Amino acid sequence: MNDTGEHNHLDQQDVGPTEAGLSRRDFLRTSGAAATVAALAEVPAALAEEAPAQSPAKAIGPEPVQLTLDVNGAAMTTYVEPRVTLLDALRNYLDVTGCKRVCDRGTCGACTVMVDGKPIYSCTLLALEAEGKKIKTAESLIDGGKLDAVPAAFVKHDAQQCGFCTPGFVVAMRAAFDQNPNATPAEIEEALSGNICRCGTYQQMRDAIVALCKNQPGLGTRKKEG
Amino acid sequence: MATSWPKKRRLIGAKVQRLDGPAKATGKAKYSYDINRKGMLHAVLLRCPYAHAKIKSLDTAAAEKMSGVKAIHPIKKVGEELFWAGEEILGLAADTEEHALDAVRAVKIEYEVLPHLVKEEDALKNDPQTVSPVGGKRNNVLAAKEAASQGFEKGMADAAVTVEGSYGVPTICHQCLESHGLVAEWNANGELTVWASTQAVTATAAILAGHFRIPANKVKCITHYMGGGFGSKFGPDIQGIVAAELARKANAPVKLMLDRASEITAGGCRPSAYGKVKIGATKDGKVTAYEVDCYGTPGVGLSDTVTFNALPYVYPFEHKRKHVRIRTNTQLQRAMRAPNHPQNCALTEFILDDLAAKLEMDPMQLRLKNLPQNDPNAMQNAPHSLPALRHTIYTREIEIAAALSKWKEKWHPPGKTPGIIKHGIGMALHTWTGQAVPQRNECTVIISADGSVTARTSSQDLGTGQRTVTALVTAEILGLEPEQITLQFGESPNGASSGSGGSTTVPSQAPATLRAATAARDDLFAKIAPKLSAKAEDLVIERGKVVDRASGKSWDWKKACAALGEEKAQATGFWTAAESNKPENKDVSSSGVGGVQIAEVLVDTETGVVRCTQIVAVQDCGMVVNRLTCESQVAGGVIMGLNYALFEERIMDRVTGRQVNPDMEFYKLGGIEDMPKILVYLHDMPERGVIGVGEPPVISTHAAIGNAIFNALGVRVPHTPFTPERVLAALAAKGGGQ
Ligand code: FES
Ligand code: FES
C-alpha cells in the first residue's frame, strides 16, 4: 500500500512487451487470483488511458517472477507470482516470520514492517512493489544478544502475553520513535492505533511507552536498555 | 512425603520477567504458523457457503489437474447434509498457497439449499426445525431446564419491592490472533510430528494417534509458542486431522492454518444468553427472591449457554431459574475464558443496580448486604477454601476496590449528573474455581555435572507465562536464577500434562515442578555428599551454593554439581487433584477465587458514545507465583471484558444465514487509545496455595461497565455491546438524555 492506500504498482511499470509475452490486458484477464483482480479493480480507467489496447504492454506474471528483497540488510532472492503480498513473500518464501499474518487485509497491524523507514502493513503491499526498498522486520531489533530499547521495554514491562501481535507493535513503535525521538506518550499511542492485541497487553504497553518517553533523548538511535 | 512450598521465598511472589520475552518481541519465536518445513505444501479447506444445505454433486476432477495440486482429502460426501455456513467439505494441498486457493475454487459443487435459522430469538416464535436430528427430532428449541429453591415462592411473596428487566449478551468470537491449525509431517517410519496451535499438547497427539490408529508414541505434538486460544483450541480439530491426512497422501509436510474469515466463523464462539429477570427485596435492600428465564444458542450443539446451577451468580438468593437452549445453523459454541460465567454475571449483576436505584440505595451497600456468608462447615474442614472465606474475601475486596476507585466521592444517584457528557461508576462481582485437574501433570528436573539445569514438561505456555513459572519454581528450590534454567516445553513426549483450560495450569503444573525440583535436589545431595565428605541430610541450598550445615563448608553451585562426575541428578514430580486433596499436601494448591471490579465511564448522550475511563480490578488468587505475569493476566482479562462490553458481537444475516462481520474491521476489538486506566490489585493470600487466575478477571468487567452506564444515564442499556446505537435507543425509550 502506498501513502494513499492504493495499489498502483502497475501505473509505475513501463508499458512494453513482457517476458511471458502477455499484455497487461491479458494479465488482468488471465490472472486467477481474486485478490489481485480485486486490488486492480480500482485502476482500469487509468490503465485504459495510459495503455491503449494496441500498444504492447510490459506485464509480468501470472507465472512466478524473480524477486529480490533487501530484508534487514541482506539481499534475499526467490520466485513469486506477482500477486503475492510482501507479507506472504517474507513468510512463505523467505522464512522471515516475525511479521505475522492475522487479518490479511490491513486492519490489525500484526504484519507491520518498515519499508524505507515507514511502518507498513505488509499484507497490503505486493512483494514486487517492495523491490529496491529497505525492509526491516522485528528480527532486526536484536543483534546478537543486544536488544533494541523498544523490545527491551516490552520485555521489562511485560507488554506481551501470547506475543503474536507483539512484533507488529514493536515495529510500529520503533518507527514512531525513529520519526520523532521526542514523541510524547500520546503520540506513540496514536502511532499504535492501527495495531490490535487480543490478549490485552495495552496497560503494560503504556508502562513501556511512558518509560521509553522518559528515557529521551536517544531513542532515535538504537541502544541497549540497561 | 508431604509437599509444601518453602517458607522463605525469594522468587515466588516476586516480579520475574518472561524468559521468552526477547524471542517473542523480536519475532524470533517460532509459532506453529511460522513453521516452514522443507518441501512443505500449503492446504486450504472448502467450506459450505450456506447455513443449511445438502451436497447434490461434487466434482474435483478439474481441481486435481490444477497447477501444483498434490492431494485432496474429502470430508463430506454427496448426499450429506451441512448445518452451518463454514462447515468443512474437503481439504486440498498444493505446492504454494496461491495454487491451493486457485484449485479449491475449481472444485465443482452443487448444493440443495435448505431452510436455516441463525437468530435464536426467531425460533421462539416458530420452531423451523433446521438442525441435525437428536432422538429423531430436528427441533431448534430444546426442552427447558427448570429449577427452584424451596423458599422462592415465599421470598417473592414477602418482597416489599420488586424489579424486572431484560438483559443479554450476544454470541462473540474468540478471535485468536494466531488462527487454528497445524503443520503435519510424517517420517519414513510412519511417525507423525505436528506443530500445532493448541492449548492441549498431549491431547492433540493422543487424538491424532487415535484417528490414525497408531501407537501414541508415534505422534509428537510440538507447541513452543501459541498465539491465543481462550478456550477454543483443544485437540487437532478437523483442520488438524485433514492436514495430517493430506501430508500422508502427498508424502510431504503440510501446513493448514485457518484464514481470518474461517478463524472467526469456524474457530470458536462464546454462546449468547438473553433473559428476563425479576428480583424482590425488603425495603432495606435484603434480596428475598430472584427469578430468571433465559435462552441462548450453542450453535449446532446442545450445551447450556449459562452455568445453570450458578444462577443467581455469586449471591445465594432464593431462586427460580429456567434456561432454554436454541440450536441454530451456526458454528458449535466452544469454551471461552471462564465459560458461561460472564453470561451468569450479566444476568445477575445488572438487575442488582436496577434494584438499588428503585430502593434509592448505593449499589455497593446493596451488595454488601447480600454477600454469601462464610460456610461454617467449610470453616471447620477446609479453612482456606473459598466457601469458608467468601464473605471475608468479598467484603475485603469491596473495601479495597472502593478505596482505589474513590467510590464514596464518585458515586451519585443514577442519571443525576448535569450536562451532555455524563459520568457514571458501577461495579460487579465474580467467582471462579481454578484448581488442579484430575489428570496427571508431570515435570522433570535434571541437574548436570556442569551445573546446568533443565526443567522439562509437555505442558504448554499460551502466553500466560507458564514457562517462566516453571523456571521460577525450579530456581527457587535450587537457589538459582530463573534464566539459569533451560526449559523444554510444549512437546508431547515430555511427560504427562493436561490441556490449559479452566485456569488449571499453574495449580496443576507448579506443584509438579516443586516436587521435581525438590526431589532432584535431594538426588543431587545423595550423589555428591560422599564426594564432599558430607552427609546428604546435612546439605542445604543457599543462593548459588550448597552448604554443609555440619561443617559450615560451602561450595558454589557449579563446584557442588561437578561432584556428580558422570552422573546426573534427576527427578520427575507429578500433581493431580487427588494429591492436592491429601491432608499432608494441604495448601499447596487450592480452588476458588472471588473478584470485584469497579468501572467508570463517560457517556455522550448526544452521540451515544461510551468512553471507559478507569477500571479497578481486585482479584484474589491464593499464592502469587509470578507477580508480573499475574498482574498482566488480570489487566488482560479486564481488557477482554471491556471489549465484550463495548465492541464485540457476532452479527448473523437472517436471510443468507452467514456472519456479516467475519473480519477485524466490523468485528470490533479495542485498540490502545480505547483503553481506560486499569488499576490491578492482587489480594494475595499465600496461605491458600496456588490457584489459577487466567479466567476470572474477564468475567465481571462488562457488568461493571454496564452498571456504570446505568449510573451515568439512569437508564438501563440492556444488551452488550453498549454501542452508540444501543445507548441512544435506550435513551430514546426513556424520553431522551437530559
Ligand atoms: S495481517 Fe496485515 S494488517 Fe492484519
Ligand atoms: S499478546 Fe496476544 S494478541 Fe497481543
Side-chain angles (χ1 to χ4, degrees):
Chain A
M1 196 167 73
N2 67 15
D3 290 341
T4 57
E6 305 163 334
H7 290 268
N8 62 359
H9 68 292
L10 282 180
D11 300 276
Q12 290 153 7
Q13 299 285 336
D14 285 336
V15 178
T18 68
E19 276 141 26
L22 284 167
S23 74
R24 185 183 282 159
R25 269 171 188 246
D26 287 337
F27 166 62
L28 288 172
R29 214 172 321 157
T30 55
S31 168
T36 313
V37 170
L40 291 172
E42 295 162 17
V43 293
L47 280 177
E49 246 173 65
E50 217 187 293
Q54 257 59 35
S55 85
K58 178 177 191 295
I60 42 169
E63 296 309 315
V65 294
Q66 189 177 326
L67 169 77
T68 301
L69 294 177
D70 175 348
V71 185
N72 301 329
M76 294 182 150
T77 298
T78 184
Y79 289 84
V80 298
E81 291 182 38
R83 57 172 151 162
V84 170
T85 62
L86 174 60
L87 173 65
D88 289 355
L90 289 169
R91 292 181 53 82
N92 292 348
Y93 293 84
L94 299 170
D95 201 26
V96 179
T97 55
C99 43
K100 308 298 183 192
R101 186 160 82 181
V102 174
C103 70
D104 206 18
R105 56 197 280 183
T107 324
C108 74
C111 64
T112 304
V113 302
M114 281 188 236
V115 175
D116 286 343
K118 277 191 192 167
I120 295 279
Y121 290 153
S122 62
C123 69
T124 63
L125 190 74
L126 291 174
L128 290 170
E129 293 178 277
E131 272 195 316
K133 299 185 172 162
K134 285 195 181 353
I135 299 156
K136 270 217 250 169
T137 68
E139 283 98 329
S140 70
L141 299 176
I142 187 166
D143 190 0
K146 208 169 161 239
L147 200 54
D148 175 85
V150 169
F154 272 69
V155 175
K156 184 170 176 202
H157 297 278
D158 204 38
Q160 52 184 345
Q161 290 185 32
C162 82
F164 208 68
C165 69
T166 311
F169 274 99
V170 165
V171 170
M173 199 190 286
R174 180 72 257 171
F177 277 120
D178 284 350
Q179 261 162 33
N180 178 8
N182 298 312
T184 62
E187 286 164 346
I188 297 297
E189 282 199 21
E190 199 187 336
L192 300 179
S193 63
N195 292 63
I196 291 173
C197 171
R198 183 44 151 165
C199 297
T201 56
Y202 301 118
Q203 172 80 8
Q204 287 72 17
M205 227 179 276
R206 280 186 174 155
D207 295 342
I209 293 168
V210 168
L212 285 166
C213 289
K214 258 194 205 146
N215 289 348
Q216 301 170 51
L219 274 167
T221 54
R222 237 184 284 158
K223 62 164 194 183
K224 185 174 161 42
E225 203 188 57
Chain B
M1 212 183 74
T3 304
S4 61
W5 293 104
K7 296 271 162 326
K8 269 176 66 190
R9 297 184 283 264
R10 174 173 60 96
L11 294 167
I12 294 173
K15 291 192 172 190
V16 177
Q17 287 178 18
R18 257 170 231 268
L19 297 174
D20 51 11
K24 293 206 284 195
T26 57
K28 301 259 182 194
K30 291 282 181 190
Y31 294 73
S32 303
Y33 210 145
D34 300 336
I35 299 297
N36 290 319
R37 304 289 296 172
K38 199 164 176 290
M40 186 179 78
L41 308 177
H42 293 262
V44 293
L45 297 175
L46 175 66
R47 294 178 182 277
C48 179
Y50 300 106
H52 188 194
K54 205 178 256 180
I55 303 175
K56 278 211 300 212
S57 71
L58 180 57
D59 178 3
T60 58
E64 278 159 39
K65 289 198 204 88
M66 295 282 288
S67 178
V69 173
K70 304 287 187 209
I72 292 182
H73 181 74
I75 301 166
K76 290 279 175 350
K77 292 192 291 286
V78 171
E80 271 192 272
E81 207 172 330
L82 303 154
F83 290 100
W84 49 282
E87 197 162 358
E88 301 83 358
I89 295 167
L90 62 77
L92 178 152
D95 57 348
T96 67
E97 212 176 2
E98 295 76 40
H99 283 153
L101 287 165
D102 287 348
V104 84
R105 277 187 217 109
V107 173
K108 291 206 178 82
I109 181 161
E110 285 179 306
Y111 302 92
E112 178 191 345
V113 180
L114 300 168
H116 63 253
L117 174 100
V118 295
K119 300 234 183 217
E120 52 271 47
E121 65 272 22
D122 291 353
L124 291 172
K125 291 171 223 145
N126 170 33
D127 188 332
Q129 309 203 346
T130 62
V131 284
S132 61
V134 176
K137 287 192 180 147
R138 284 177 170 265
N139 290 3
N140 294 90
V141 182
L142 301 179
K145 273 190 179 178
E146 289 180 81
S149 66
Q150 279 207 329
F152 169 76
E153 295 296 344
K154 183 174 173 338
M156 205 51 100
D158 287 352
V161 176
T162 60
V163 175
E164 287 177 63
S166 285
Y167 312 92
V169 298
T171 297
I172 61 174
C173 304
H174 290 68
Q175 279 278 26
C176 307
L177 289 206
E178 182 187 29
S179 58
H180 289 59
L182 55 73
V183 174
E185 180 173 307
W186 296 86
N187 69 13
N189 302 325
E191 291 165 335
L192 173 65
T193 300
V194 295
W195 291 261
S197 185
T198 182
Q199 297 175 240
V201 166
T202 55
T204 298
I207 293 168
L208 285 164
H211 174 82
F212 288 105
R213 296 172 204 265
I214 54 177
N217 64 4
K218 290 200 180 267
V219 181
K220 179 176 183 178
C221 176
I222 301 173
T223 306
H224 289 158
Y225 297 96
M226 220 282 266
F230 313 113
S232 68
K233 282 185 182 164
F234 292 96
D237 266 344
I238 196 157
Q239 71 276 353
I241 287 172
V242 169
E245 289 276 11
L246 288 166
R248 195 160 69 162
K249 278 188 190 169
N251 198 19
V254 166
K255 182 190 278 191
L256 202 175
M257 304 298 294
L258 301 189
D259 61 30
R260 184 52 33 189
S262 303
E263 175 64 19
I264 297 171
T265 50
C269 63
R270 177 197 81 175
S272 60
Y274 296 95
K276 277 192 218 123
V277 189
K278 184 177 175 187
I279 199 162
T282 62
K283 278 215 178 73
D284 60 351
K286 183 82 189 143
V287 172
T288 55
Y290 167 96
E291 182 177 3
V292 60
D293 177 353
C294 62
Y295 66 88
T297 180
V300 290
L302 295 166
S303 48
D304 287 351
T305 76
V306 294
T307 303
F308 187 71
N309 291 328
L311 265 178
Y313 191 57
V314 175
Y315 312 89
F317 304 143
E318 296 293 346
H319 60 266
K320 183 171 166 185
R321 49 184 173 228
K322 181 175 168 192
H323 177 54
V324 178
R325 292 158 292 157
I326 301 173
R327 301 179 69 205
T328 51
N329 298 98
T330 59
Q331 69 162 312
L332 178 66
Q333 69 95 20
R334 297 190 190 198
M336 186 166 184
R337 206 167 183 176
N340 295 355
H341 277 227
Q343 293 90 320
N344 279 36
C345 186
L347 291 173
T348 306
E349 287 282 354
F350 287 152
I351 200 160
L352 287 181
D353 276 41
D354 294 355
L355 173 66
K358 185 147 184 187
L359 294 166
E360 297 183 354
M361 255 181 101
D362 174 343
M364 184 178 280
Q365 295 309 316
L366 180 84
R367 284 180 173 78
L368 286 167
K369 270 204 170 135
N370 287 289
L371 287 177
Q373 294 303 312
N374 293 341
D375 175 347
N377 263 339
M379 288 163 78
Q380 281 286 314
N381 305 324
H384 291 153
S385 68
L386 185 67
L389 290 165
R390 57 200 177 190
H391 189 272
T392 315
I393 288 175
Y394 281 121
T395 308
R396 180 75 191 120
E397 286 182 342
I398 291 173
E399 270 171 29
I400 295 166
L404 287 173
S405 67
K406 301 199 169 68
W407 178 276
K408 278 212 180 95
E409 291 154 49
K410 287 185 177 169
W411 185 80
H412 50 77
K416 289 289 185 282
T417 48
I420 290 161
I421 296 181
K422 297 194 180 289
H423 166 270
I425 186 165
M427 67 182 293
L429 272 51
H430 62 250
T431 184
W432 187 250
T433 46
Q435 74 279 44
V437 291
Q439 302 101 295
R440 194 179 169 92
N441 266 270
E442 292 176 348
C443 180
T444 299
V445 172
I446 304 152
I447 305 167
S448 298
D450 65 353
S452 65
V453 178
T454 299
R456 176 191 296 163
T457 173
S458 58
S459 187
Q460 50 282 319
D461 186 340
L462 315 185
T464 52
Q466 186 58 37
R467 203 180 243 114
T468 311
V469 160
T470 298
L472 181 161
V473 171
T474 306
E476 175 86 62
I477 302 302
L478 300 180
L480 302 173
E481 300 310 315
E483 312 81 71
Q484 288 173 274
I485 314 299
T486 302
L487 292 155
Q488 291 176 356
F489 234 77
E491 298 192 15
S492 57
N494 289 356
S497 70
S498 53
S500 289
S503 307
T504 57
T505 310
V506 173
S508 300
Q509 272 287 328
T513 307
L514 167 70
R515 283 176 151 186
T518 308
R521 177 200 66 192
D522 293 347
D523 190 35
L524 173 76
F525 289 167
K527 283 172 176 157
I528 64 175
K531 293 179 194 151
L532 302 176
S533 313
K535 284 196 209 136
E537 59 270 29
D538 290 334
L539 295 179
V540 292
I541 296 277
E542 281 180 22
R543 190 169 179 178
K545 56 190 178 183
V546 173
V547 178
D548 178 2
R549 274 180 307 191
S551 69
K553 275 202 222 160
S554 74
W555 301 266
D556 150 274
W557 172 257
K558 274 199 170 166
K559 272 233 176 75
C561 293
L564 277 169
E566 302 283 288
E567 289 192 279
K568 282 184 191 323
Q570 169 167 350
T572 297
F574 78 99
W575 198 249
T576 60
E579 287 298 310
S580 174
N581 292 336
K582 285 183 179 165
E584 70 267 29
N585 296 335
K586 75 174 164 35
D587 304 329
V588 172
S589 71
S590 105
S591 173
V593 297
V596 174
Q597 294 188 13
I598 293 180
E600 270 184 85
V601 297
L602 293 174
V603 187
D604 184 332
T605 52
E606 285 183 351
T607 63
V609 170
V610 176
R611 169 116 204 136
C612 184
T613 54
Q614 179 172 291
I615 294 181
V616 170
V618 181
Q619 183 62 55
D620 104 63
C621 48
M623 188 181 88
V624 175
V625 183
N626 185 352
R627 194 165 299 277
L628 185 68
T629 51
C630 188
E631 286 179 358
S632 292
Q633 278 295 305
V634 177
V638 165
I639 288 170
M640 192 175 255
L642 176 131
N643 280 320
Y644 299 176
L646 299 181
F647 304 118
E648 290 189 55
E649 178 171 22
R650 181 185 74 180
I651 303 169
M652 298 302 298
D653 179 52
R654 189 175 266 124
V655 177
T656 61
R658 297 180 64 166
Q659 182 175 353
V660 298
N661 59 346
D663 51 39
M664 299 181 82
E665 292 143 87
F666 300 106
Y667 188 102
K668 299 279 183 202
L669 293 172
I672 191 165
E673 292 179 299
D674 297 309
M675 292 304 129
K677 188 170 165 195
I678 301 169
L679 302 175
V680 173
Y681 184 96
L682 299 179
H683 183 29
D684 206 349
M685 291 186 281
E687 67 282 5
R688 300 186 62 204
V690 181
I691 313 175
V693 80
E695 288 162 302
V698 84
I699 299 169
S700 59
T701 313
H702 66 325
I705 291 174
N707 284 337
I709 295 170
F710 175 73
N711 181 249
L713 302 177
V715 167
R716 173 61 60 184
V717 187
H719 296 166
T720 64
F722 305 118
T723 56
E725 183 195 9
R726 291 208 170 103
V727 170
L728 293 178
L731 284 170
K734 289 280 160 88
Q738 294 299 305

